[in-house]
Amino acid sequence: MLIDNIFEKIVEMNSNYYTKSEFSKNYLGKCNTYYSSMKCRKEDASKTALINLFKKLKHEAAILEETHIVFDNAYIRENMKQKRNALKEMCDEVL
């Protein structure tokens, strides 16, 4: 499922410290239990949740685009570029 793949990528990007509850609120723009409930019922995400997800991913990619250049450390800049690219790929998946 699309949402599951994106959730796993978000978890990976956040060093495995991201919960389904946080994903529901922060990325899908829904209540804490939305993602878990959707999975249990084997339902697809609503159009509103997908739009919220797209907007959040695009927003985070834009922030990384703007801020990666201010860091002197090449490792940090490269890491931010990789995250930005991953977020852009996820945006494309949502579309």
Side-chain angles (χ1 to χ4, degrees):
M1 235 165 94
L2 169 71
I3 296 290
D4 295 331
N5 293 337
I6 291 178
F7 173 70
E8 291 302 321
K9 290 175 184 176
I10 295 295
V11 168
E12 190 176 301
M13 285 176 56
N14 288 285
S15 302
N16 297 321
Y17 294 112
Y18 211 79
T19 65
K20 291 176 183 173
S21 175
E22 291 170 322
F23 182 71
S24 293
K25 280 180 26 183
N26 298 335
Y27 284 87
L28 302 179
K30 299 291 185 177
C31 69
N32 292 347
T33 58
Y34 179 81
Y35 180 62
S36 295
S37 174
M38 185 188 78
K39 284 186 61 119
C40 286
R41 295 178 188 172
K42 297 181 180 169
E43 295 176 349
D44 291 330
S46 69
K47 289 178 184 175
T48 304
L50 292 173
I51 290 168
N52 292 338
L53 176 61
F54 177 78
K55 286 180 179 179
K56 178 69 172 179
L57 293 170
K58 190 169 178 138
H59 176 73
E60 287 189 359
I63 289 172
L64 288 172
E65 178 77 37
E66 294 171 6
T67 58
H68 84 276
I69 56 175
V70 300
F71 289 93
D72 292 332
N73 186 304
Y75 174 78
I76 292 174
R77 275 197 318 268
E78 186 59 33
N79 187 27
M80 292 175 81
K81 281 183 188 178
Q82 289 175 358
K83 283 186 177 184
R84 181 197 67 216
N85 292 338
L87 289 165
K88 285 182 177 182
E89 287 176 14
M90 286 185 262
C91 282
D92 292 342
E93 288 178 40
V94 172
L95 290 178

